[in-house]
Amino acid sequence: MRTTLLVIAKEPLPGRVKTRLVPPYTFEQAAQLAEAALSDTLAAALTVPACRRVLVLEGRPGPWLPDGFEVIPQSGGPLDERLASAFAAVRGPALLIGMDTPQVAPELLAVEWEGVDAWFGPAADGGFWALGLRVPDPDLMRGVPVSTPDTGAAQLLRLREAGLRVAVLPLLRDVDTAEDAAAVAALAPGTRFAACLARIAAGWDDRP
């Protein structure tokens, strides 16, 4: 079964993304880092066999968006509702990831479904960086508390209480703080994200 890859993201605009990086970074620098992280994520998704690649976007596409993606708007409401709406927009097996893990390796996204009903990617902050469902069911996300240290555990419990056979992906670290940014760049020095962070540290502006 081919998988639909969903990437849920915000348009990387200053003051709208990665605001927890400020300070020490400026809002403009935080947006540059967000754009680099999103570009890395989209590039990884492009290399994985998929029946569809869908960007679930808050905002407008920009020059950072490569060919090969459909774009659908994010719904409003809290994160659990936005995740539920993303899954409601597709049929068949789907894997959803965010834009906060530029270190993600393409092989982590090439999930298989034999004997598996759901994939779960835990994040180091207690959330999750990936969620996959063989049969998309928006109700599996609705009502799960978001943005708490227990969000990931609550979502995983919801999947298991539904009787799903869950496979767990490796733990990854989201980029939320300056400490996260430095750690992720060190783990993945060949990424656009790491290069952008290095340019900012060197005092170079990433944009004209």
Side-chain angles (χ1 to χ4, degrees):
M1 290 182 288
R2 285 292 183 93
T3 302
T4 293
L5 290 177
L6 298 163
V7 179
I8 189 164
K10 291 182 179 181
E11 181 184 1
L13 296 174
R16 297 291 301 278
V17 290
K18 295 294 161 210
T19 54
R20 289 175 61 189
L21 293 175
V22 182
Y25 301 107
T26 67
F27 287 114
E28 176 67 24
Q29 290 168 338
Q32 292 171 17
L33 290 167
E35 181 175 325
L38 178 55
S39 295
D40 284 322
T41 304
L42 297 175
L46 275 178
T47 67
V48 178
C51 63
R52 295 173 65 191
R53 296 177 183 85
V54 181
L55 177 63
V56 187
L57 183 64
E58 179 185 311
R60 295 182 177 183
W64 41 264
L65 179 63
D67 294 335
F69 282 87
E70 305 169 45
V71 180
I72 62 174
Q74 268 190 53
S75 69
L79 181 58
D80 63 314
E81 286 293 337
R82 287 180 276 140
L83 296 178
S85 294
F87 277 102
V90 299
R91 294 183 178 180
L95 179 71
L96 180 144
I97 62 172
M99 59 183 286
D100 298 336
T101 51
Q103 75 275 36
V104 66
E107 56 265 26
L108 295 181
L109 307 181
V111 297
E112 300 289 344
W113 297 98
E114 184 175 354
V116 176
D117 299 312
W119 285 92
F120 180 79
D125 64 359
F128 56 93
W129 65 268
L131 180 63
L133 296 172
R134 178 197 286 265
V135 179
D137 180 355
D139 287 336
L140 289 170
M141 283 128 274
R142 291 193 173 110
V144 173
V146 297
S147 302
T148 77
D150 300 320
T151 292
Q155 182 63 73
L156 182 58
L157 180 63
R158 175 72 66 87
L159 299 175
R160 288 177 169 158
E161 286 183 337
L164 302 184
R165 297 166 296 177
V166 183
V168 178
L169 291 160
L171 180 79
L172 293 184
R173 184 170 184 167
D174 284 342
V175 174
D176 290 318
T177 65
E179 183 181 1
D180 294 332
V184 168
L187 283 172
T191 57
R192 295 171 178 82
F193 181 82
C196 179
L197 189 67
R199 286 191 291 269
I200 290 172
W204 301 340
D205 196 333
D206 224 34
R207 301 183 183 184

